[in-house]
Amino acid sequence: MSSFWSAWIIIISLGSVFGCWWLLYATRKSQTSNTETEETTGHTYDGIEELDNPLPKWWFYMFLATIFFGLAYYALYPGLGSYPGLLGWTSTNQWEQEVEEADAEYGPIFAAFAEKSVEDLSKDPAALKVGQRLFANNCAICHGSTARGSLGFPNLTDSDWLYGGSADAIKQTIGHGRNGNMPAKGLNPAMSKSDIDDLTNYLLAFSNRAEDKASSERGAAMFQTACAACHGADAKGNLAMGAPNLTDNVWLYGGTPSMIKQTIEFGRAGVMPAHNELLGEEKVHVLSAYIYSLSQGK
Amino acid sequence: MSANIPVKNIDPSPKKKPEETTIDLYASRKKIYVKEITGVFQRIRTASLWLLMSMYFIFCWVSINGEQLIYFDIPGRKFHLFGETFWPQDFVLLSWLLIICAFGLFFITSLFGRIWCGYTCPQTVWTFIFMWAEEKVEGSRNKRIKLDKAPNDASKTLKKVIKHSIWLLIAFATGLTFVGYFYPIRELVVDFFSFNFIGGWAYFWILFFTAATYINAGWLREQVCLYMCPYARFQSVMFDKDTMVVSYNPNRGEPRGSRKKSADPKQAGLGDCVDCGMCVQVCPTGIDIRDGLQYECIGCALCIDACDQIMDKMNYPKGLISYSTENSLEGKQSHLVRPKSVGYGLMLLFMIASVIYGVTSRVPLGLDVIKDRGALYQLTGMGLVENSYTLKVINMSDQPREFELAVTGIEGLSISTETRFTVNSGEVYSLPTSIEVDPANMTQTNHDIEFVVIANDDKSVKATSDSRFLGPLSY
């Protein structure tokens, strides 16, 4: 805030307070008595006259008290332009203080959870309730509140994992994030439209949806040169790279022919943000247990 | 040669201004000394005072099923009233209750004026208790006036100290009891005197209500009714010519004047009012009822009791000051049953009936459905349309229950997550739910659906909540 605007605010704020004070004193008027009189203000409504009798004194003092309160508030808190106030209060301070209080209150609970392994924690109903709430607040916006994902966001309740469904892999994914990258046209930038159609037919053949057998055989050959490096020669994917299994019927970016074509032609880039610095490791630990529990028995 | 040179003052003589004292517009309160009086209305008030006070001081000590009769558990977000537990979800009942209180007040006011103020308002009740204590310590009205005028000496100081100690004691009992409706009183009393509080809030509130009681009933008294009370400001709206208010009958009383008891007022050309000033001396708001109805009047009828005593002594008929209506003072017929009173009465009955219905038809189960933000819908691998929701199921009964979830609205709608779950007593259970349907069954992109949660052990405990099911445009 420039010093001009700071001064501008200070003048208006203090001016209002002192304006109230001045008004209070300026409207005291000369009377010949300080008791109830028959003097009127000159207002009449429907023949009812407004008397002009003195206010109770304690009201007057209460008014003064509010003025002093206002001045004290201006002195203690930041209100006058860029003046920071005696207490040094800021909203950031207050937020940090409240976070500290919350950590002091809930810290022991998370510390107790942190001592257990993810596998054990995934059988602890109390931890799962906490995990479910953490999930609703931090993950559900992309993965859905039932963790079933949607277009571009993986389903976390099935047994199909891009980076592995072990407790450690899940914890790694949540804590450190993932950057999935499917390059456009794979390793073959010279891929033509008809090549893409062939590839698509090859992939649809896994779920018996291929329309043209010859085309899907051409696609199989193309797959080995352009795609197999990541997705594997058998197209079963690669957990180390996060390359999806293309032989099952789980499609992160849609399994219709047109969507598969789009994925091949333009590539895909999926980002799972790292949550260790956002939530802290203890909460990530509890979340991992919750996610781990969702896919058990699937 | 020492003669002075005559001088002449040629300054313009100042214009004589009339003397005008400048006085602040703000006036100090004049202390009102209320004379103690006995009579039929004072007896009624004493009875109501005892009843209300015993309710106030005893209710918090009574327990049923191990719970206080009235206990507002603010941290736990629950109100325990007469064995029923009310949740924040029942707040609509509280608003109805407050509306009933308001209409009850309107109804009574339109019939009998400020009867609430005079007999049952806490401000009046505690003020009367404090005045009783004052009377006991400092003596009658005249003695009190004298005492205040007297110079400070040991006996005056002692009296004042005793009086304020009694006041503070009553105020403290009031404050402690008040907090006892928000904090278990048995623990509170023990904790308070053993300085065993976690945090100082209970102390703060006890002292706050002690101070508030002491200041309101001890020092402010009628000022509350005159300057602070909102009801006092708008009650005149409910008055009409048929409202029973405390009124002086000028036709009978005027012209007022003192006379011997033996004198015949008719011959002296006087009315029945002997101008003894008793009605002014007993008035807790310090008005003269003989000036007609004023907004300060709280309808306490002390002046009626006072005047009736005097009329008795003079062997005149009672009722020079009485509860009567403007119409009857003018010699017209007054009507108890009139559009206003009937209207208020019917409204009141209707609302009381709705609250009784609301309380009795309450189900100890709450259901809120929150549709997922983010994706509007998903398509599953099987080609079905799927929507996700978070259900909040609240079990308000006092035992854990097993519930069953169902959903209706579209042909073939099915829940793909768990539908049977157990919720502990007082728990808000959060249940992520996905429901799916064949897109062929969707006639539009946006269907209304309804979730139903039913307790397995008691089918009457059920809650429903509406939501939306979204799908793709038909393809």
Side-chain angles (χ1 to χ4, degrees):
Chain A
M1 206 185 314
S2 71
S3 57
F4 168 77
W5 288 115
S6 185
W8 172 263
I9 289 172
I10 292 173
I11 288 167
I12 289 181
S13 310
L14 291 181
S16 311
V17 174
F18 287 111
C20 288
W21 181 82
W22 171 83
L23 189 71
L24 191 60
Y25 273 86
T27 51
R28 296 184 308 161
K29 30 168 280 197
S30 309
Q31 289 204 144
T32 42
S33 89
N34 65 345
T35 53
E36 300 259 320
T37 59
E38 293 302 304
E39 211 175 314
T40 63
T41 56
H43 302 156
T44 49
Y45 306 97
D46 301 341
I48 299 168
E49 290 190 319
E50 188 183 358
L51 290 174
D52 187 10
N53 281 321
L55 262 187
K57 204 165 240 165
W58 53 264
W59 257 19
F60 173 69
Y61 289 134
M62 268 170 79
F63 204 140
L64 279 185
T66 59
I67 288 174
F68 285 123
F69 177 88
L71 291 173
Y73 189 92
Y74 277 141
L76 294 172
Y77 285 94
L80 293 174
S82 46
Y83 164 72
L86 291 174
L87 295 181
W89 179 92
T90 65
S91 52
T92 317
N93 277 354
Q94 187 175 343
W95 176 74
E96 280 167 356
Q97 196 185 326
E98 284 176 18
V99 167
E100 248 171 59
E101 281 170 20
D103 285 345
E105 188 172 347
Y106 302 114
I109 299 171
F110 283 109
F113 288 154
E115 285 172 11
K116 288 177 155 182
S117 71
V118 170
E119 288 90 343
D120 290 347
L121 212 53
S122 71
K123 297 178 186 75
D124 176 350
L128 293 184
K129 272 183 182 169
V130 174
Q132 194 219 322
R133 288 186 191 119
L134 283 170
F135 186 88
N137 282 335
N138 298 289
C139 322
I141 193 70
C142 296
H143 292 282
S145 58
T146 47
R148 293 173 177 231
S150 62
L151 211 62
F153 304 102
N155 182 346
L156 309 176
T157 61
D158 57 14
S159 56
D160 182 63
W161 293 95
L162 293 171
Y163 297 91
S166 70
D168 287 343
I170 291 173
K171 200 169 168 177
Q172 175 75 17
T173 303
I174 300 174
H176 298 278
R178 299 288 184 183
N179 276 310
N181 188 7
M182 152 86 192
K185 301 178 182 175
L187 297 179
N188 184 359
M191 211 179 266
S192 67
K193 282 264 186 218
S194 69
D195 291 338
I196 293 173
D197 288 352
D198 294 344
L199 266 178
T200 305
N201 264 324
Y202 168 68
L203 296 180
L204 289 171
F206 288 113
S207 49
N208 301 321
R209 289 187 290 160
E211 290 142 23
D212 182 341
K213 204 134 171 45
S215 154
S216 86
E217 275 163 16
R218 286 197 301 277
M222 170 61 73
F223 184 88
Q224 293 306 325
T225 58
C227 321
C230 296
H231 290 281
D234 54 0
K236 294 251 187 219
N238 178 349
L239 292 181
M241 310 186 63
N245 179 350
L246 305 175
T247 64
D248 58 11
N249 206 9
V250 177
W251 295 94
L252 183 56
Y253 293 99
T256 61
S258 65
M259 286 180 128
I260 295 174
K261 279 177 194 162
Q262 182 157 4
T263 303
I264 298 171
E265 190 174 356
F266 300 106
R268 296 286 183 182
V271 176
M272 162 77 195
H275 280 81
N276 266 351
E277 50 271 29
L278 292 174
L279 298 176
E281 293 198 21
E282 286 179 343
K283 284 182 182 165
V284 167
H285 186 74
V286 176
L287 264 174
S288 308
Y290 176 70
I291 301 296
Y292 183 74
S293 76
L294 294 177
S295 60
Q296 291 315 293
K298 298 273 170 68
Chain B
M1 283 306 287
S2 63
N4 287 338
I5 299 167
V7 288
K8 192 173 161 199
N9 186 351
I10 56 159
D11 284 350
S13 68
K15 237 180 169 176
K16 269 279 187 193
K17 272 192 12 198
E19 278 298 311
E20 201 179 60
T21 49
T22 307
I23 290 164
D24 286 354
L25 184 55
Y26 307 103
S28 308
R29 175 203 177 203
K30 277 202 212 26
K31 192 166 170 184
I32 294 172
Y33 296 91
V34 178
K35 187 178 170 70
E36 198 176 43
I37 198 84
T38 53
V40 59
F41 294 109
Q42 181 65 344
R43 273 200 295 280
I44 294 173
R45 186 174 13 262
T46 308
S48 94
L49 191 148
W50 273 104
L51 176 74
L52 293 167
M53 283 292 110
S54 29
M55 275 162 62
Y56 177 73
F57 282 103
I58 290 169
F59 271 17
C60 53
W61 292 96
V62 180
S63 295
I64 40 175
N65 319 331
E67 253 172 14
Q68 254 174 247
L69 200 60
I70 298 178
Y71 176 45
F72 303 103
D73 182 2
I74 305 277
R77 307 277 192 284
K78 283 182 208 137
F79 289 179
H80 304 282
L81 300 175
F82 306 105
E84 284 272 324
T85 300
F86 292 88
W87 284 62
Q89 282 77 0
D90 300 318
F91 245 73
V92 68
L93 289 174
L94 178 73
S95 52
W96 277 108
L97 199 66
L98 292 174
I99 292 170
I100 287 180
C101 289
F103 267 87
L105 202 57
F106 301 163
F107 179 63
I108 288 288
T109 306
S110 68
L111 292 179
F112 305 111
R114 287 174 73 174
I115 212 129
W116 161 264
C117 300
Y119 294 89
T120 47
C121 175
Q123 178 66 27
T124 307
V125 167
W126 262 278
T127 299
F128 270 83
I129 295 174
F130 273 43
M131 287 196 304
W132 170 85
E134 199 168 41
E135 181 99 13
K136 287 282 167 277
V137 176
E138 294 184 357
S140 67
R141 178 174 190 264
N142 293 339
K143 282 196 183 136
R144 292 204 298 273
I145 295 174
K146 240 187 238 144
L147 185 74
D148 279 354
K149 286 207 177 104
N152 283 325
D153 58 4
S155 83
K156 176 176 174 176
T157 312
L158 182 69
K159 275 182 183 164
K160 291 279 173 199
V161 167
I162 292 173
K163 179 179 85 172
H164 287 286
S165 312
I166 294 174
W167 280 4
L168 282 167
L169 208 67
I170 299 169
F172 174 72
T174 307
L176 191 66
T177 306
F178 192 90
V179 175
Y181 285 102
F182 296 85
Y183 188 103
I185 186 128
R186 288 152 205 271
E187 294 167 37
L188 181 78
V189 172
V190 175
D191 284 356
F192 186 85
F193 292 107
S194 54
F195 299 101
N196 177 25
F197 274 130
I198 306 158
W201 280 110
Y203 273 106
F204 167 79
W205 286 115
I206 290 173
L207 294 178
F208 175 86
F209 285 110
T210 302
T213 309
Y214 172 74
I215 292 167
N216 272 335
W219 294 92
L220 287 172
R221 291 190 178 173
E222 80 289 342
Q223 309 251 344
V224 174
C225 314
L226 266 48
Y227 301 115
M228 302 181 207
C229 178
Y231 170 57
R233 296 276 148 195
F234 65 76
Q235 40 104 17
S236 53
V237 176
M238 298 161 233
F239 282 26
D240 56 23
K241 290 191 166 196
D242 288 314
T243 304
M244 296 273 274
V245 287
V246 176
S247 39
Y248 165 76
N249 185 347
N251 305 333
R252 194 186 131 188
E254 299 298 315
R256 60 183 85 155
S258 53
R259 77 292 305 268
K260 283 205 176 66
K261 192 177 167 180
S262 55
D264 180 12
K266 291 227 171 38
Q267 284 184 337
L270 290 170
D272 278 355
C273 174
V274 298
D275 206 10
C276 63
M278 280 290 273
C279 53
V280 181
Q281 289 179 25
V282 299
C283 178
T285 59
I287 56 168
D288 187 344
I289 193 65
R290 293 171 300 175
D291 297 340
L293 180 64
Q294 291 141 79
Y295 84 93
E296 291 94 335
C297 173
I298 56 168
C300 71
L302 278 174
C303 51
I304 301 184
D305 283 340
C307 191
D308 281 352
Q309 270 190 19
I310 301 295
M311 291 295 111
D312 256 4
K313 283 193 184 122
M314 298 295 291
N315 288 329
Y316 296 164
K318 288 182 182 182
L320 175 60
I321 304 177
S322 65
Y323 279 111
S324 62
T325 67
E326 200 179 330
N327 273 340
S328 59
L329 283 181
E330 289 169 4
K332 294 179 194 152
Q333 182 65 38
S334 34
H335 321 78
L336 198 64
V337 178
R338 53 192 192 272
K340 184 186 271 187
S341 59
V342 171
Y344 278 142
L346 285 176
M347 283 299 282
L348 197 56
L349 281 175
F350 166 71
M351 280 182 291
I352 290 172
S354 359
V355 163
I356 290 171
Y357 171 76
V359 171
T360 49
S361 65
R362 253 172 6 120
V363 169
L365 173 63
L367 171 65
D368 289 308
V369 177
I370 304 155
K371 189 168 185 340
D372 257 25
R373 302 158 300 172
L376 297 179
Y377 63 89
Q378 300 97 28
L379 293 171
T380 65
M382 313 301 290
L384 300 177
V385 182
E386 181 183 70
N387 280 210
S388 298
Y389 307 81
T390 303
L391 269 56
K392 302 274 185 188
V393 182
I394 308 159
N395 178 6
M396 303 179 193
S397 63
D398 40 21
Q399 71 267 2
R401 272 201 158 122
E402 194 180 59
F403 295 100
E404 189 79 41
L405 173 71
V407 63
T408 55
I410 312 174
E411 182 102 9
L413 202 59
S414 71
I415 300 171
S416 51
T417 48
E418 58 173 337
T419 57
R420 184 174 283 239
F421 51 95
T422 302
V423 185
N424 293 327
S425 164
E427 185 191 14
V428 181
Y429 185 82
S430 135
L431 179 75
T433 301
S434 283
I435 55 179
E436 49 194 30
V437 73
D438 189 332
N441 294 344
M442 289 187 73
T443 51
Q444 59 222 47
T445 55
N446 181 344
H447 281 268
D448 286 333
I449 55 164
E450 192 177 56
F451 286 94
V452 185
V453 170
I454 301 178
N456 277 340
D457 58 333
D458 179 356
K459 297 287 183 247
S460 72
V461 178
K462 86 176 200 182
T464 58
S465 182
D466 294 340
S467 190
R468 289 290 176 84
F469 188 93
L470 303 174
L473 288 163
S474 50
Y475 55 88

